[in-house]
Amino acid sequence: MITLRTITLENRRILFNLEVSEDQNRFVASNLSSVASCYVLATNGGHPFPFAIYADEEPVGFVMLTYGITGYELPSIADDSYCILRLMIGKQYQNRGYGREAMTKILEFIRTFPAGPAHYCWIPYEADNITAKKLYESFGFRDNGEICDNEPITVLRL
Ligand SMILES: CC(C)(COP(=O)(O)OP(=O)(O)OC[C@H]1O[C@@H](n2cnc3c(N)ncnc32)[C@H](O)[C@@H]1OP(=O)(O)O)[C@@H](O)C(=O)NCCC(=O)NCCS
């Protein structure tokens, strides 16, 4: 079973060492850099939620959710919305259904509105990341036509 867990002193190194395959490197930053970004967001008025993705008792991936400020260019629906960033499943754990199950858990968590009310959830992704695009579409996300920091924005009404 997939669960979302907080990053701890015990699991942090395993998480920082999780990698995607070489051809996927341009789709996500390293988990270390993502956790550093969460720190910067948290100390600058943002509401980041970094999570370790566990398959039973094994850390297999990472995701960070944000509410409020997220970066430089923001889509028109960014106010009072949640954003899913840096979703990754370690290369050795991919294609086992973990990413799909993690998305279900991520959306369940967002629908508890942990940082405040929201109408939308959005995800920026690289235009040629077809696997991610299809995965998001299967959960009801649709491109809204905006491009931010060169990435299309896909949006779900919560
Ligand atoms: C996107 C990602 C998180 C999916 O995780 P995963 O655990 O491998 O995905 P799942 O096993 O749950 O599969 C989800 C769907 O993607 C498909 N899929 C997974 N890997 C694939 C691949 N390499 N090529 C084509 N399809 C693939 C599966 O067939 C499945 O489709 P289905 O549910 O319609 O049958 C993972 O590929 C990843 O970490 N990619 C690199 C980082 C990335 O691109 N993140 C997204 C940033 S926006």
Side-chain angles (χ1 to χ4, degrees):
M1 192 185 62
I2 291 290
T3 48
L4 303 179
R5 302 193 191 177
T6 49
I7 294 165
T8 63
L9 290 175
E10 284 73 36
N11 68 17
R12 74 190 198 283
R13 285 185 204 287
I14 298 175
L15 276 178
F16 295 159
N17 286 330
L18 281 179
E19 288 175 340
V20 296
S21 61
E22 215 174 303
D23 58 316
Q24 296 172 328
N25 265 331
R26 65 204 168 83
F27 297 149
V28 276
S30 72
N31 293 343
L32 182 61
S33 136
S34 295
V35 172
S37 296
C38 285
Y39 172 80
V40 176
L41 281 172
T43 51
N44 286 275
H47 300 274
F49 295 92
F51 282 118
I53 298 170
Y54 273 70
D56 296 322
E57 290 310 308
E58 186 130 36
V60 297
F62 174 83
V63 67
M64 61 185 268
L65 314 177
T66 64
Y67 179 82
I69 57 164
T70 54
Y72 312 114
E73 275 185 54
L74 296 173
S76 54
I77 46 84
D79 282 348
D80 299 332
S81 64
Y82 288 86
C83 178
I84 301 173
L85 290 168
R86 317 281 173 81
L87 172 66
M88 66 82 75
I89 298 294
K91 58 186 172 192
Q92 68 273 45
Y93 301 110
Q94 290 183 13
N95 244 313
R96 299 186 192 178
Y98 294 164
R100 176 170 291 286
E101 210 181 321
M103 275 299 293
T104 300
K105 295 287 157 72
I106 290 164
L107 291 172
E108 277 174 17
F109 176 76
I110 287 174
R111 287 189 162 111
T112 67
F113 302 101
H119 289 115
Y120 298 101
C121 174
W122 58 282
I123 311 175
Y125 68 95
E126 293 288 334
D128 61 344
N129 194 349
I130 306 302
T131 302
K133 180 180 166 74
K134 279 194 189 156
L135 179 64
Y136 303 146
E137 280 182 350
S138 73
F139 283 87
F141 283 82
R142 293 291 177 269
D143 285 6
N144 75 347
E146 289 182 75
I147 309 278
C148 293
D149 293 328
N150 292 320
E151 295 188 333
I153 304 299
T154 190
V155 178
L156 176 73
R157 199 178 168 89
L158 293 169

